[in-house]
Structure formats: structure tokens, C-alpha cells
Amino acid sequence: MRLSYPTNLRIVKVPCTGRVAAIHLLRAIEKGADGVFIAGCMEGDCHYQEGNLRAKKRVTYIRGLLESIGVDRERVAMYNLSAGMGPRFAEIAQEMTDKIRQLGPLVKSTNAGKEVVA
Amino acid sequence: MIMAKPKKAEEIISRVKDFSRVLVAGCKGCVAICEAGGQKEVEVLASAMRIHFSQIGKRIEIDEVSLSRQCDKEYLQELADSIDSYDAVISLACGAGVQFLTEMYGEKPVFPGVDTCFIGVTEEQGVWSERCQACGNCMLGETGGICPITRCSKRMLNGPCGGSENGKCEISLLVGRDVACGWHLIYERLKKLGELERFRRPSEDKDWTASRDGGPRQIIRKDVRP
């Protein structure tokens, strides 16, 4: 398909989004990412039954935690798409990058616009 | 086990914002089981604090440690070599752990990272309920294994009271969830055991000096002392 998506995105592959713990989202931010999104399977389509639903809960928790410490909750997000939805992935990557660019770098001195996707 | 719930991150942050080196100390005992103060929670809190302080441009070093227990000196001793390099400690242990840490390292400001709530059980994942008030004079043998001191909102020794309706305590309306009437539970349990005769004799007066009425409690057992 030769789709293009922003180059500032760093992909961290996990066997299932259920593997992504709350600390992984925070560590990504702590280590310089200005935003993180989890790209999980469609709800109801998890090979492990509820991995993506667990990830969703953790994202909700971390968004609340970030807000409480003065960080915009929009910096962490959960998306659901299947492995066959390449164009949607590129779209999400662009959407998230635009959103984070708008919010600006979390810490002024670190690399701006870096994102991590799991 | 002792149940606790995490304090809000902003409250903890406001306590330590003026220090330059802070240690977040977790406990791998009860508070780890109820997901309030174990290693995972230490990692999340410390990371959130680092993000917060770096965002506002404040240089505060935050380290993490998780002790096997904070209610035993031998485990607290593990901090002896490093504690001097910190200005303050946030302890995610229960109230007992926080105090024992304070007692051992008297010079160091120690702040609680959790609210200690009760002695209870894990009903299901994410649901913890109170089962014991540590009254020091257990009467479970008299009441079919259900504690009236804990399960009855009024701690009545002879119940149920007039506020019990369809097995629910009148406090349910107040707290916004169904609270079982402790004495209804006891009745149902004793019925199953064929011991309803128990209701014919009132409970004996309870010795509350074994509870908080006798001041802070202590157990000294000569048989296990060195």
C-alpha cells in the first residue's frame, strides 16, 4: 500500500496490548516521548479475550493520573484497529502527531514531537 | 490483610515539592496485594512525580525501593546505608509501616503515600471489604463465623436492630450501596448450622479494654521472646 505516516513515531511491538502496563505508558513519557498511543485490536476481537480492554482501562487510569499532575490527558490515547487497517493506522498516526504538535513538547528542552506507539 | 488505597498524586507531590532527593518506599506485604503500595505502585508514583517535576522544570531526584515489609526492623534495616542521601521518604506501606520507618530513622521526614483503611479480604479483583476490626476479643465462635463488630454498622452485640430490612442495613441509603445486615447474615448462617438457639441467650458483655478503649495495644509473649 506504501502508506506514509509521520517519521517521529517509534513503534514498540507487544504480543497483545494487554501486556502494556501503566508504567510502560509513563516510562515512555518520562524518557522523552511527548505522547503515547496504544494501537490495540478491535474491541471484541482480542485473541486473548480481553487484552485490549485491559489496555483501555490502563489508558483511562494513566490519563486521569497525568491530569492530576498537570499533564494534558490527551497525551495518552487508546485506538482500536485491526491488522488489516493500514490506512487507518496511518491516519491515527497523523492525527496523534498533529494533536501532540498542537500541545507542544512536554518539557521544553527535550526532543519535541516524539511519539511512541505500542 | 490490611487494606489501603493510594493517596492522590497531587497531595503527595505537594508534601515533597521542596526537597531535592526523595525516596519512594513500597512494601511487598498487604498493600502490594491490595494494589496500593507494592512495587508496581511505587514505579507508577515515582515515574509520575518525575514527569511532574521535569515538566515544571524542578530538579528533584526521585528513587524507588520496595521492602519485603515495613513493619519489621530487619527489612527496614535495608535502608540504613542509603537513607542519609535522601531528604524525605514517601512510604507506601500501611500506617504501621510508615510509623515504624519514622521510628527507625528519626531524623528523616516520612510521608504516607496511602490511606490505610481496614483489615479485610479480596472479594474479587479490585473489590476489598472489611472483615475484622481487631477488637482483641474474638467472638466469631459465638456468631457462626460472622463478626457483628465489623459487619453490623452499629457494632451491636445482640441484633438485628430495627433498621434491618430485607437483609440490608439502613446505612445502605446513606452510603449509596447495599450493605448486608451483619446480624441477618449471622441469623442465616446459624440457621444453616442448626444453631438458632444461640438467639435465646444474649451475648455476654464484651471486654472492650482489649480494643482501643485500653489505649494503644501491645502483645508480649514470653514464650517467643529471645
Side-chain angles (χ1 to χ4, degrees), chain A residues 23 26-27 29-30 61 65 68-71 106-107, chain B residues 9-10 13 43-44 47-48 50-52 54-55 64:
Chain A
I23 188 63
L26 287 177
R27 286 240 174 88
I29 292 178
E30 202 187 324
Y61 163 58
L65 179 63
S68 75
I69 59 167
V71 175
L106 186 62
V107 180
Chain B
E10 57 263 49
I13 285 170
E43 287 174 348
V44 168
S47 180
R50 281 191 287 263
I51 291 170
H52 169 77
S54 87
Q55 193 205 12
E64 307 163 16

Side-chain angles (χ1 to χ4, degrees), chain A residues 6-12 25 27-37 74-76 93 96-117:
Chain A
T7 52
N8 50 236
L9 206 77
R10 180 171 164 195
I11 297 178
V12 179
L25 300 170
R27 286 240 174 88
I29 292 178
E30 202 187 324
K31 290 191 183 296
D34 292 316
V36 192
F37 74 90
E74 295 299 321
R75 289 185 187 275
V76 175
M96 190 71 183
T97 303
D98 292 344
K99 198 195 292 174
I100 300 304
R101 284 238 165 86
Q102 215 170 7
L103 291 172
L106 186 62
V107 180
K108 298 285 181 281
S109 58
T110 60
N111 306 328
K114 231 200 273 175
E115 275 158 56
V116 175
V117 57

Side-chain angles (χ1 to χ4, degrees), chain A:
Chain A
M1 263 189 275
R2 295 192 176 275
L3 297 162
S4 64
Y5 62 88
T7 52
N8 50 236
L9 206 77
R10 180 171 164 195
I11 297 178
V12 179
K13 291 180 192 169
V14 286
C16 169
T17 53
R19 178 65 187 88
V20 184
I23 188 63
H24 297 136
L25 300 170
L26 287 177
R27 286 240 174 88
I29 292 178
E30 202 187 324
K31 290 191 183 296
D34 292 316
V36 192
F37 74 90
I38 297 183
C41 299
M42 303 294 281
E43 286 190 9
D45 280 353
C46 177
H47 181 73
Y48 303 101
Q49 310 293 340
E50 51 183 44
N52 48 3
L53 300 178
R54 290 183 181 184
K56 186 182 172 184
K57 277 188 194 166
R58 289 165 197 160
V59 165
T60 308
Y61 163 58
I62 289 301
R63 280 164 71 102
L65 179 63
L66 288 177
E67 198 166 42
S68 75
I69 59 167
V71 175
D72 199 304
R73 61 190 295 131
E74 295 299 321
R75 289 185 187 275
V76 175
M78 173 88 200
Y79 288 97
N80 297 91
L81 68 167
S82 80
M85 294 163 74
R88 176 71 185 132
F89 179 81
E91 199 180 290
I92 289 169
Q94 189 62 55
E95 189 181 304
M96 190 71 183
T97 303
D98 292 344
K99 198 195 292 174
I100 300 304
R101 284 238 165 86
Q102 215 170 7
L103 291 172
L106 186 62
V107 180
K108 298 285 181 281
S109 58
T110 60
N111 306 328
K114 231 200 273 175
E115 275 158 56
V116 175
V117 57

